[in-house]
Amino acid sequence: MLSNRQLFLLNTAQTSTSPRLIEIEKAEGLYLYGPDGQKYMDLVSGFAVSNIGHRHPRVLTAIRDQLEKYLHVTVYGEFIQAPQVALATKLLEQLPSTLNNIYFVNSGAEATEGAMKIAKKYTGRSAFIAAKKAYHGSTQGALSLMGDEKYKIPYEPLLPNITYINYNELNDLSKITTDTAGVVLEAVQGEAGIRVPDINYMQQLRKRCNETGALLILDEIQTGLGRTGKLFAFEHYGIVPDILLTAKGLGGGMPIGAFIARREIMDVIKENPILGHITTFGGHPVSCAAALASLTVILEEKLMDTVPQKHEIFKAHLKHPLIKEVRGIGLMMCIQLTSFQQVEAVSKYCAENGVMIDWFLHHETALRVSPPLIIKEEEIIAACTVIKQGLDRLSA
Ligand code: PLP
């Protein structure tokens, strides 16, 4: 009989020639467990998803309660489904009044697609601005925004009329013009290796969008909910986007995404023609129930308040001659090393010694640190110790 590892390689599509091949049997809180007694402290959170930890009891209860009522009943936007309504209401309560309407989808990429569509129809323009080294998803519209040719060339032609700017570069804001439908930017660049923009840059960006009538579309798919110490990172900058994208950490471990805008922008998809954006499973009732429970946990347990201090604990314990810099905001951090060989070797050592850590799509020389927000001080210290041991072996 073939092992799961063999069947994985044989029967499921591979996204690289070197998958990590770590088998997971169970996950709970901060920890992932393998089939042979392995226990890993998860410093990746399934790529910024498990913000309240794996299988949070309140999320499980919400899922079970919804299972007793209904699963899928119809496409998004037709029937009144209480879990969707409750999630939308609770989420909007947390947001500025100009972000007052939500469209639920299944993923981050779909949120990007939906936002691009409403920006085009609302403004009557078709050009977009995106940043170099951006990542907004893998579908063709979202991929068109990716500021790295290597990933796009085999799939061309993609969307035309996209201009790439350098992230956090004030001079490049002049490329936003009255032809621009939308500027799509990550609130903190993730896959570029965690790049936190200056407050002044974000404020000037907002100003330039106001001057030109371009919609500011902030991708908070990785930064949300709570990861940077605020529910959404735009709160750090004193600005409000026209369209907010969320996914990943929204669902408490279940698949869901959303694009959020003011009503008059969102309304463009409901007529001329009707059904301007359709999804069968978007806002699945079980995902919405889980997301509501997760949001409630983040707010009631005041998880965001603990984030800046945990950031500092990581920084204090990540001191090593091979670490060039520890960068980031809140629990969206990276450890800057010198080469991919170092990153790969340390990740391997960490996995073998019970710490799951990873790297970035566009930045191969840094380690990704984005643990569940529930991580405790002693766990941070223990994780940092293993990382430093991995680095010691490199220097030995
Ligand atoms: N935007 C950002 C900033 C992301 O990090 C990601 C995924 O990594 C996406 C969009 C795409 O989200 P999804 O994988 O759910 O389509």
Side-chain angles (χ1 to χ4, degrees), residues 12-13 141 195:
T12 69
R195 308 286 166 185

Side-chain angles (χ1 to χ4, degrees), residues 24-33 42 50 53-56:
I24 301 301
E25 193 168 78
K26 193 177 152 113
E28 189 95 61
L30 178 65
Y31 297 94
L32 304 168
Y33 299 89
D42 184 4
S50 315
H54 296 275
R55 296 178 69 249
H56 192 287

Side-chain angles (χ1 to χ4, degrees), residues 47-48 106-112 134-139 142 186 188-191 219-223 245 247-248 256 332 368:
F47 293 85
N106 301 283
S107 67
E110 278 180 81
T112 307
Y135 184 66
H136 300 289
S138 238
T139 50
E186 291 161 84
V188 171
Q189 274 200 318
E191 297 312 307
D219 178 341
E220 297 247 17
I221 289 164
Q222 215 173 120
T223 43
L245 311 184
K248 286 187 182 279
I256 186 167
M332 185 171 177
R368 178 192 301 265

Side-chain angles (χ1 to χ4, degrees), residues 316-330:
H317 289 86
L318 284 172
K319 297 205 185 304
H320 189 278
L322 291 182
I323 297 180
K324 292 173 76 183
E325 186 187 13
V326 178
R327 239 189 343 268
I329 178 166

Side-chain angles (χ1 to χ4, degrees), residues 155-168:
Y155 307 105
E156 286 174 340
L158 293 168
L159 286 182
N161 281 346
I162 297 176
T163 303
Y164 302 94
I165 59 174
N166 290 302
Y167 193 76
N168 204 27

